[in-house]
C-alpha cells in the first residue's frame, strides 16, 4: 500500500507507548509551551539581569573599525588584535567603504586574512618564536592518534579532498622558498 | 597566561598572553576550568570566516570560576563557578528584550547581521575566546549563570553551545507528535538535535552522516535510525524510499559550511573560499523533506553567498527557520532535562586535550582521527 498518493499519512512502525518505553523523556516537550524558544519575538522585560536601558560605553582606545550598517560604535566590543600593517589597512578600507551586503566587503576581509598570515609568518622569523608549520598544524598527531587506521577501509567522503590540505598549507611555503631561491640566484648572478 | 593563538589557516599554537583586563564596568574575568573545540571553530581554523586575525584566541564554549568583577557587577562574585553562553549580549536592546540574545545589537560593531560570539573572528565582534587560562566576559550580570551544584563541569561546558544548539534546532523544526525527523550530521549538534527531537514527540528520528563511528554514536546515544550517505547512490532518493515517497516532516541541517557529499560544493567553499559554505546538507534537507515541511538550519555558514536550492524550497512550500542559538533562553528547561536524566551532555565527549597540545587537538578533530566526536580543552592540565 502506498499512502503518500492518498490522503493517509504513512504509519509509524512504533506506537506512542512503545516510543515512551524505549526513549527516556519521549514527549516531555510535546506541548509547544514547554519549548523555551517556541514563541518568537515575545517581549520579555527584565528577564536577563541587566540593570540599564542602554549600557555604559566601553572606552575606545583606538579608532575601532565598524560596519557602516551600524548607527554608531556599539557600547561594548572586542579588543583582540587591533588592525595593523597592510592587512589592517585593507580591513579598515573594507569596513569604511562597503556594507555587509556587498561581496567586496567580505572578499577584501578574506584577502586581508591571507595578507595578515603572511605578515605574521615573516615577522615571526625575526623573533624568538618563529612559526613552525610542523608543530602548529599538529600533523604529528597523525602518528600518535591512528592517522592511518582512522582512514583505511573507511567509507569517508572527505578522503577524496583531504590530500588538498597539505597542498593548501605547505604549497605557499614551497612557492615562497622557490621564489626566494630564484631571487637569491639572480642577485648572485649579477655579481 | 597561556592561550591558544591562531597563526593562519590550519595553524594554531599556545602563547603567553596578558591576562585580560576589565574593559567595561560590567565585565568579569573568568578563570577557565574547561573549554571545548566546536565544529564551527574548524571553519575559523580552515580560514573560511572573514576577518579571522592572526593572534586571536578561539573558544566559545567554556566554563570556569569568576576571578575578577567590574564595579557595576551585581549578580556575580569572585569564586562563583559559572557557565558562559557562547553569545555575548547586553540584555536590553530591541533583540535581547524579545529573547533573541544571539542577535544582540550592542556587542558587535563589525557586523549588524550577527551578534557577539567569544573567539569567533572580528566578524562576530573581535572578542578573544575561552581556549585559554582566562577570558574577559562582558555583561557579567546578563550572560553567565551559576553552575548548579549537582551539575558536573563537563555537562556544563556542553550546555554553553552544542547541547543548547541541538535542542534549539529541534525546536525550530516545530516538531509535532509522530513527525519523521531527519538530521543531517552526526556531530555534537546533530546528536543533541536527534536526542531532542524525541523529547518533542518525534515518531521517527533518522541521522545521516558518512563517518561510521559517529553513526554508531547516533544509534546508542540518540536511539536514532542511521544511514551512511556514501553507501547510497543518491541519499535523497533513499530518504524518499524509506518514507513511502512522502519525505520527512522535518529536516535539520547540523553540518554547515564544510559539508561533504558533493566534491564541487566542498572544494569551492572549504578550499577555494568562493562561497560562504558548502550547502550540501542544506540542499539535501530541502530535497528530503516533504512538501510543506520544515527545515531547521543549525549549521554555521559564512557571510558570503552559497549555492542553495531556493527554487525547490519555494516550490515545495517549505518553512526554513534558523538562527544562532540564544543559549541562556534554553537553560532552565535543559537543566531540568539533565537533572531528570533525559540528556547527559558529557556522554559525547571523546577527547580531553591539555591546552599545551591544542595544535594536535585541532588536527585530530579536523581530520576526524581517533573516532573524535567532541574534544574538550583543559587549561589546568598544561
Amino acid at each position: 500500500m502506498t499512502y503518500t498518493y492518498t490522503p493517509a499519512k504513512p504509519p509509524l512502525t512504533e506506537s506512542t507507548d512503545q516510543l515512551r518505553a524505549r526513549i527516556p523523556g519521549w514527549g516531555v516537550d510535546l506541548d509547544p509551551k514547554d519549548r523555551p524558544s517556541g514563541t518568537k519575538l515575545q517581549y520579555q522585560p527584565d528577564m536577563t539581569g541587566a540593570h540599564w536601558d542602554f549600557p555604559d560605553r566601553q572606552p575606545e582606545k583606538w579608532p575601532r573599525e565598524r560596519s557602516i550598517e551600524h548607527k554608531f560604535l556599539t557600547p561594548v566590543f572586542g579588543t583582540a588584535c587591533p588592525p595593523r600593517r597592510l592587512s589592517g589597512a585593507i580591513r579598515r578600507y573594507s569596513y569604511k567603504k562597503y556594507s555587509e551586503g556587498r561581496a567586496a566587503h567580505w572578499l577584501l576581509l578574506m584577502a586581508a586574512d591571507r595578507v595578515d598570515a603572511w605578515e605574521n609568518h615573516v615577522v615571526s622569523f625575526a623573533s624568538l618564536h618563529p612559526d613552525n608549520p610542523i608543530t602548529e598544524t599538529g600533523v604529528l598527531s597523525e602518528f600518535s592518534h591512528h592517522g592511518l587506521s582512522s582512514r583505511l577501509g573507511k567509507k569517508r567522503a572527505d578522503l577524496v579532498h583531504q590530500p588538498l590540505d597539505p597542498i593548501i598549507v605547505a604549497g605557499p611555503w614551497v612557492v615562497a622558498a622557490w621564489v626566494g631561491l630564484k631571487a637569491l640566484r639572480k642577485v648572485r648572478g649579477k655579481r | 597566561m597561556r592561550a591558544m593563538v591562531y597563526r593562519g589557516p590550519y595553524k594554531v599554537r599556545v602563547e603567553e598572553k596578558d591576562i585580560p583586563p576589565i574593559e567595561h564596568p560590567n565585565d568579569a574575568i573568568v578563570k577557565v576550568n574547561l573549554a571545548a573545540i566546536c565544529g564551527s571553530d574548524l571553519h575559523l581554523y580552515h580560514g573560511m570566516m572573514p576577518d579571522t586575525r592572526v593572534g586571536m584566541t578561539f573558544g566559545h564554549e567554556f566554563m570556569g570560576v569568576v576571578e575578577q568583577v567590574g564595579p557595576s557587577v551585581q549578580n556575580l562574585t569572585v569564586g562563583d563557578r559559572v557557565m558562559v553562553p557562547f553569545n555575548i549580549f547586553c540584555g536590553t536592546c530591541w533583540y535581547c528584550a524579545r529573547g533573541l540574545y544571539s542577535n544582540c545589537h550592542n556587542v558587535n560593531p563589525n557586523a549588524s547581521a550577527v551578534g557577539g560570539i567569544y573567539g569567533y573572528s572580528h566578524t562576530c565582534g573581535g572578542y578573544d575566546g575561552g581556549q585559554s587560562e582566562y577570558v574577559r566576559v562582558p555583561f557579567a550580570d546578563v550572560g553567565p549563570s551559576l553552575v548548579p551544584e549537582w551539575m558536573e563541569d563537563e555537562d556544563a561546558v556542553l550546555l554553553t553551545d552544542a547541547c543548547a544548539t541541538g535542542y534549539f534546532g529541534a525546536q525550530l523544526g516545530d516538531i509535532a507528535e509522530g513527525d519523521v525527523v531527519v538530521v543531517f550530521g552526526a556531530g555534537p549538534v546533530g546528536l543533541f538535535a536527534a536526542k531532542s527531537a524525541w523529547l518533542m514527540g518525534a515518531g521517527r528520528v533518522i541521522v545521516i552522516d558518512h563517518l561510521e563511528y559517529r553513526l554508531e554514536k547516533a544509534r546508542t546515544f540518540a536511539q536514532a535510525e542511521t544511514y551512511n550517505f556514501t553507501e547510497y547512490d543518491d541519499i535523497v532518493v533513499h530518504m524518499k524510499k524509506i518514507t513511502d515517497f512522502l519525505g520527512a516532516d522535518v529536516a535539520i541541517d547540523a553540518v554547515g559550511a564544510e559539508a561533504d557529499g558533493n566534491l564541487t560544493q566542498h572544494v569551492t567553499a572549504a578550499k577555494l573560499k568562493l562561497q560562504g559554505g558548502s550547502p550540501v546538507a542544506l540542499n539535501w534537507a530541502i530535497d528530503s523533506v516533504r512538501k510543506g515541511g520544515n527545515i531547521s538550519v543549525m549549521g554555521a555558514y559564512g557571510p558570503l553567498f552559497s549555492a542553495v536550492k531556493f527554487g525547490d524550497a519555494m516550490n515545495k512550500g517549505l518553512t526554513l527557520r534558523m538562527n544562532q542559538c540564544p543559549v541562556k533562553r534554553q537553560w532552565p528547561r535543559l537543566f531540568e532535562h539533565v537533572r531528570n536524566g533525559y540528556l547527559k551532555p558529557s556522554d559525547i565527549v571523546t577527547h580531553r586535550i591539555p591546552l599545551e597540545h591544542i595544535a594536535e587537538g585541532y588536527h585530530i578533530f579536523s581530520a576526524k582521527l581517533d573516532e573524535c566526536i567532541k574534544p574538550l580543552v583543559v587549561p589546568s592540565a598544561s
Side-chain angles (χ1 to χ4, degrees):
Chain A
M1 172 68 181
T2 296
Y3 291 90
T4 303
Y5 298 87
T6 71
K9 195 177 177 187
L12 295 167
T13 52
E14 286 181 286
S15 70
T16 299
D17 287 342
Q18 286 170 318
L19 287 168
R20 195 172 275 120
R22 183 168 75 88
I23 314 286
W26 184 89
V28 293
D29 289 334
L30 196 52
D31 186 343
K33 286 187 198 137
D34 289 328
R35 302 177 187 179
S37 285
T39 314
K40 195 178 175 188
L41 297 179
Q42 186 179 34
Y43 187 57
Q44 300 180 310
D46 201 26
M47 289 280 285
T48 64
H51 39 85
W52 48 78
D53 278 334
F54 183 80
D56 291 336
R57 284 191 169 276
Q58 175 182 331
E60 184 182 4
K61 292 179 182 166
W62 68 86
R64 182 64 164 78
E65 66 283 5
R66 68 173 176 85
S67 166
I68 55 175
E69 293 183 44
H70 267 302
K71 185 175 182 180
F72 44 60
L73 180 66
T74 56
V76 166
F77 49 86
T79 53
C81 311
R84 290 190 299 171
R85 306 190 193 105
L86 176 61
S87 59
I90 299 170
R91 283 169 174 142
R92 279 191 291 263
Y93 177 77
S94 173
Y95 280 107
K96 196 174 173 184
K97 177 82 178 167
Y98 296 109
S99 76
E100 297 159 57
R102 304 279 292 274
H105 175 66
W106 302 111
L107 292 170
L108 278 169
L109 290 176
M110 295 283 275
D113 289 350
R114 302 293 96 85
V115 172
D116 188 19
W118 275 100
E119 284 172 341
N120 277 280
H121 292 326
V122 170
V123 168
S124 82
F125 290 122
S127 75
L128 294 173
H129 198 178
D131 277 310
N132 179 339
I134 304 293
T135 57
E136 290 174 9
T137 55
V139 72
L140 295 177
S141 60
E142 288 284 337
F143 304 106
S144 58
H145 288 77
H146 311 104
L148 213 54
S149 62
S150 296
R151 297 184 177 91
L152 277 182
K154 312 283 188 211
K155 293 172 186 163
R156 289 178 51 165
D158 55 342
L159 295 184
V160 67
H161 59 71
Q162 278 197 357
L164 291 174
D165 291 347
I167 297 170
I168 290 169
V169 176
W173 292 77
V174 172
V175 170
W178 182 75
V179 169
L181 207 64
K182 289 277 276 186
L184 201 66
R185 279 184 182 162
K186 211 167 191 178
V187 170
R188 278 186 181 169
K190 278 185 182 172
R191 283 179 187 170
Chain B
M1 68 169 187
R2 304 293 282 167
M4 168 272 176
V5 161
Y6 175 68
R7 293 298 301 171
Y10 295 80
K11 291 183 285 295
V12 298
R13 70 184 184 192
V14 177
E15 284 183 6
E16 199 63 30
K17 273 187 163 182
D18 292 337
I19 293 176
I22 298 282
E23 306 216 37
H24 179 275
N26 209 251
D27 279 359
I29 306 302
V30 168
K31 187 173 195 289
V32 179
N33 279 3
L34 269 183
I37 307 178
C38 178
S40 61
D41 285 332
L42 296 180
H43 310 328
L44 300 173
Y45 177 67
H46 294 148
M48 291 181 71
M49 289 295 159
D51 211 355
T52 302
R53 300 183 187 178
V54 172
M56 183 162 222
T57 297
F58 298 166
H60 55 268
E61 295 176 284
F62 61 90
M63 56 80 58
V65 174
V66 176
E67 178 79 8
Q68 191 185 350
V69 292
S72 83
V73 174
Q74 301 174 358
N75 300 335
L76 292 182
T77 54
V78 171
D80 283 346
R81 179 172 162 252
V82 291
M83 50 205 286
V84 183
F86 78 82
N87 330 107
I88 299 167
F89 58 106
C90 74
T92 53
C93 69
W94 192 93
Y95 300 96
C96 286
R98 287 157 182 82
L100 296 175
Y101 307 147
S102 50
N103 306 108
C104 177
H105 216 50
N106 275 332
V107 291
N108 180 6
N110 297 74
S112 64
V114 60
I117 301 177
Y118 293 97
Y120 210 78
S121 81
H122 276 65
T123 295
C124 294
Y127 298 89
D128 270 332
Q131 289 167 10
S132 62
E133 289 184 302
Y134 296 90
V135 60
R136 171 195 171 206
V137 173
F139 294 119
D141 281 334
V142 177
S145 275
L146 295 179
V147 181
E149 278 184 21
W150 51 267
M151 188 179 286
E152 294 169 16
D153 284 4
E154 290 195 357
D155 289 322
V157 75
L158 290 184
L159 285 163
T160 62
D161 180 0
C163 182
T165 296
Y167 182 62
F168 177 65
Q171 289 173 69
L172 292 198
D174 205 13
I175 296 165
E177 183 171 353
D179 271 355
V180 176
V181 179
V182 58
V183 180
F184 289 93
V189 170
L191 292 169
F192 287 122
K195 188 83 177 161
S196 302
W198 291 123
L199 304 182
M200 289 163 209
R204 188 177 175 190
V205 177
I206 299 163
V207 175
I208 311 292
D209 203 293
H210 65 109
L211 297 167
E212 199 48 54
Y213 71 92
R214 291 189 173 195
L215 291 171
E216 169 65 19
K217 193 70 177 176
R219 291 190 287 274
T220 56
F221 172 79
Q223 296 89 28
E225 179 183 334
T226 63
Y227 297 95
N228 185 330
F229 67 75
T230 64
E231 294 176 0
Y232 300 90
D233 179 49
D234 186 332
I235 193 65
V236 170
V237 173
H238 187 65
M239 286 300 102
K240 295 289 167 62
K241 283 181 181 171
I242 64 171
T243 54
D244 201 27
F245 289 88
L246 183 66
D249 298 294
V250 176
I252 300 172
D253 168 8
V255 182
E258 295 185 62
D260 273 302
N262 178 313
L263 189 61
T264 307
Q265 290 272 30
H266 183 93
V267 169
T268 53
K271 309 301 182 195
L272 302 176
K273 284 75 170 161
L274 296 176
Q275 48 176 340
S278 160
V280 180
L282 180 51
N283 287 340
W284 282 349
I286 288 169
D287 287 332
S288 297
V289 81
R290 67 165 164 76
K291 283 170 268 194
N294 295 332
I295 307 265
S296 162
V297 185
M298 287 299 103
Y301 292 85
L304 263 185
F305 35 76
S306 298
V308 178
K309 300 180 71 177
F310 274 112
D312 281 0
M314 188 276 177
N315 289 331
K316 292 178 75 170
L318 304 184
T319 300
L320 276 77
R321 297 182 71 193
M322 60 208 87
N323 200 351
Q324 296 282 352
C325 172
V327 170
K328 199 171 181 182
R329 192 165 166 178
Q330 319 304 318
W331 278 353
R333 189 69 176 161
L334 277 176
F335 286 4
E336 287 178 39
H337 291 337
V338 175
R339 189 156 207 182
N340 289 330
Y342 303 148
L343 279 169
K344 178 66 177 162
S346 57
D347 276 354
I348 70 159
V349 174
T350 51
H351 291 70
R352 294 158 183 88
I353 311 277
L355 178 61
E356 292 297 328
H357 296 172
I358 195 75
E360 286 78 11
Y362 267 87
H363 184 77
I364 292 165
F365 193 34
S366 168
K368 311 288 181 287
L369 306 184
D370 219 14
E371 304 203 336
C372 185
I373 294 176
K374 188 66 180 178
L376 300 184
V377 179
V378 191
S380 60
S382 297

